[in-house]
Structure formats: structure tokens, C-alpha cells
């Protein structure tokens, strides 16, 4: 597949809301309206708890975080008509909002997170299958170069790698380093990574959020990679990482 490109798509809009009408389990409701044949009005519902009502004590499962919504918006605005047939990998997916949006628009998506989150992700896939033009698979995946190599051996390469709000050093420690290893490993020639972050420098005892460390590490791990800020709406930012042709 050719190099992924970004082009503004004015005919597609995304709406995200939270529904807790029955008082038992909140859901993030995602509606995608399009003026082309991608979908007239697609709605996916991402439950925050499992079929038995149980909730995971994981931050990513608590709600749709702003960085995830921002990334989904960016994908809809820039890639809606291009995603059909793309292979998309979401790292540390949480609810899986950006990944599900890609699948609605025709991509074949692999959602990855910690093993504890996978049964809940599988239930979301089953619930939303009729709305998906593409496909969604789920697998547990640790970050790091070795885990990335094993995943590529099992699942192949990807056209687009995405992640959102996976860097915050006061909460996640220095996991930004193995994340950078994963992103640079999956970012093969002809593919693109989009990393959405929320800047939080100084929010916790004047600690840095780790975003700049992550970006520097990615550049050092792969000197041929380019890092470009493609979106900013303080405190939210999206970075595009891609391997440069030699």
C-alpha cells in the first residue's frame, strides 16, 4: 500500500457522548455521520463494564479520555475516505475508541492492551460488529522491541499505528521508553504512526509528563524517523512519526 497521506475530509463528522441512562453501566456513544458511502449514520457503543456489570480498575477503561477523542476526530477529518482496506494497530487502546472509528470507516484493526482488558474489548467487538465495515481483532500486547517483533511475526505489518494518552510519567513511570520501542518497531517503511497526547507538565508535584522524553527516545532509536506535530489544541497534541526514505 502507498504512503498514507492526510487530506481534510469535510463530509464526515464525529460526535462522542456518554450514556448512563439505565444507571447500571456507562457507555461512550460514538456517532459518525457521512455524506459519502462510508456510512449514513453509524453508532458504536463502548461499554465501560463487562457483560456481568463488573468494572476494571484500569484508567483506560474509565472513560473516553480527551486525547482519544481528539485522535478519533483527527482520523475522521483527515483519513475517512482512505481507511478502507488499511491495516491499523492501536497500542494501549483503553476503550478502543479511535480503533473502532477506523473499523467503522473500513479498516482492519488490531486493538491491543493489557491482558486484563481483552475480554472487555472482545465484548465491545461483538456488540458493535454490525456497524463495522472493516474488522476488529483483540490481543494482549506488552510494549517493547521484543514484543513488537513477536506481534509482527504473528500479525504482520501495519499501514497505520495509533495510540492516545499512553505517556504520563507520574502515573505510568518510564513506560514511555518501551512504548517508543514499539512505535518505532511497528513504523515500517510506508507506514505512519499517530500519537495523541495530553500535556500535563507540572500537574503532579511539578513533575514532567514524559512526552518530550518519549519523542526524543523515538528519534534516537530510529535516526531515519521524522517526528512532526500535526495538531495542537492546548493541552492536546498529535504527533506523526514516519520512517524517512533512505
Amino acid at each position: 500500500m502507498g504512503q498514507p497521506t492526510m487530506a481534510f475530509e469535510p463530509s464526515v463528522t464525529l460526535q462522542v457522548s456518554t450514556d448512563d441512562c439505565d444507571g447500571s453501566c456507562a457507555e461512550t456513544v460514538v456517532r459518525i455521520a457521512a455524506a459519502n458511502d462510508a456510512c449514513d449514520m453509524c453508532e458504536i457503543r463502548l461499554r465501560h463494564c463487562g457483560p456481568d456489570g463488573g468494572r476494571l480498575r484500569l484508567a483506560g477503561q474509565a472513560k473516553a479520555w480527551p486525547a482519544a477523542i481528539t485522535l478519533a476526530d483527527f482520523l475522521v477529518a483527515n483519513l475517512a475516505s482512505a481507511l478502507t482496506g488499511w491495516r491499523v494497530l492501536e497500542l494501549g487502546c483503553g476503550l478502543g475508541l479511535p480503533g473502532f472509528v477506523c473499523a467503522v470507516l473500513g479498516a482492519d484493526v488490531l486493538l491491543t492492551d493489557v491482558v486484563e482488558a481483552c475480554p472487555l474489548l472482545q465484548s465491545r467487538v461483538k456488540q458493535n460488529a454490525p456497524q463495522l465495515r472493516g474488522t476488529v481483532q483483540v490481543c494482549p500486547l506488552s510494549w517493547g522491541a521484543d514484543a513488537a517483533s513477536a506481534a509482527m511475526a504473528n500479525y504482520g505489518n501495519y499501514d497505520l499505528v495509533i495510540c492516545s494518552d499512553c505517556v504520563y510519567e507520574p502515573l505510568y513511570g518510564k513506560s514511555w521508553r518501551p512504548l517508543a520501542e514499539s512505535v518505532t518497531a511497528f513504523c515500517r517503511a510506508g507506514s505512519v504512526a499517530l500519537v495523541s497526547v495530553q500535556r500535563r507538565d507540572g500537574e503532579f508535584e511539578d513533575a514532567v509528563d514524559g512526552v518530550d522524553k518519549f519523542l526524543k527516545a523515538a528519534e534516537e532509536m530510529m535516526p531515519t524517523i521524522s517526528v512532526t506535530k500535526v495538531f495542537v489544541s492546548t493541552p492536546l497534541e498529535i504527533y506523526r512519526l514516519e520512517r524517512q526514505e533512505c
Side-chain angles (χ1 to χ4, degrees), residues 126-149:
K126 182 177 180 180
Q127 178 185 10
N128 292 287
Q131 299 294 329
L132 307 180
R133 293 178 62 238
T135 62
V136 177
Q137 293 179 284
V138 174
C139 84
L141 181 65
S142 301
W143 295 338
D146 291 343
S149 295

Side-chain angles (χ1 to χ4, degrees), residues 37-92:
D37 62 358
C39 56
D40 293 325
M41 171 62 81
C42 299
E43 179 179 284
I44 55 177
R45 305 182 75 89
L46 308 176
R47 291 177 62 85
H48 298 191
C49 57
D52 61 354
R55 296 175 183 269
L56 289 179
R57 299 296 182 181
L58 297 171
Q61 303 298 324
K63 66 176 185 177
W65 293 91
I69 297 172
T70 297
L71 179 57
D73 250 331
F74 184 86
L75 292 165
V76 166
N78 291 277
L79 291 173
S81 64
L83 281 167
T84 298
W86 279 23
R87 287 171 50 79
V88 177
L89 169 69
E90 184 169 6
L91 300 171

Side-chain angles (χ1 to χ4, degrees), residues 116-162:
E116 296 89 345
C118 288
L120 184 49
L121 288 167
Q122 291 281 18
S123 71
R124 292 182 188 129
V125 174
K126 182 177 180 180
Q127 178 185 10
N128 292 287
Q131 299 294 329
L132 307 180
R133 293 178 62 238
T135 62
V136 177
Q137 293 179 284
V138 174
C139 84
L141 181 65
S142 301
W143 295 338
D146 291 343
S149 295
M152 284 187 286
N154 290 325
Y155 293 96
N157 296 329
Y158 289 86
D159 304 297
L160 178 64
V161 180
I162 57 176

